[in-house]
Amino acid sequence: MATLELGGKMLEVDEDGFIADPSQWDEKVAHSLAVTEGVEALSETHWKLVNYLRDYYLKYNIAPMIRKVCKDTGLPLKQIYELFPSGPAKGACKVAGLPKPTGCV
């Protein structure tokens, strides 16, 4: 594990930049993580996806499958890739403060 300053806090991150402790996440951390994924500003639609991912993870302790994300948020997969060019698993889940997904997201 490495330590990075994200959102004004020193946080442990894994080799791919996912924060180690999702409870340390906040909006400032999300903005800092978004920049690492090439997303300079988080729009209302970004937040809709980020908040959905966080809520799902906190409820079920796992990231949702991408088909469920698309169905529940109403966002087509193409739009999710436009929001997070590195993809829903690497980009969106990282910004949402989730651990690195092990399967499909």
Side-chain angles (χ1 to χ4, degrees):
M1 289 276 172
T3 303
L4 282 180
E5 183 177 339
L6 297 166
K9 303 177 188 178
M10 295 304 291
L11 301 177
E12 284 192 11
V13 296
D14 70 9
E15 66 276 2
D16 295 313
F18 286 79
I19 63 173
D21 181 357
S23 70
Q24 294 183 314
W25 180 93
D26 61 26
E27 288 190 9
K28 288 181 180 180
V29 171
H31 283 286
S32 294
L33 289 168
V35 170
T36 70
E37 291 301 305
V39 178
E40 295 299 320
L42 293 170
S43 68
E44 187 176 316
T45 308
H46 283 97
W47 284 113
K48 176 182 178 179
L49 180 58
V50 166
N51 288 326
Y52 170 81
L53 291 170
R54 278 200 67 76
D55 291 345
Y56 189 97
Y57 178 79
L58 293 173
K59 187 173 184 178
Y60 299 106
N61 206 34
I62 191 168
M65 293 192 326
I66 189 60
R67 286 175 34 192
K68 180 148 185 62
V69 173
C70 293
K71 180 181 177 193
D72 290 353
T73 63
L75 298 171
L77 184 58
K78 180 181 178 191
Q79 185 177 6
I80 292 172
Y81 274 95
E82 289 168 358
L83 293 168
F84 294 98
S86 57
K90 185 171 186 311
C93 285
K94 182 190 284 187
V95 173
L98 277 56
K100 184 178 178 181
T102 54
C104 278
V105 165

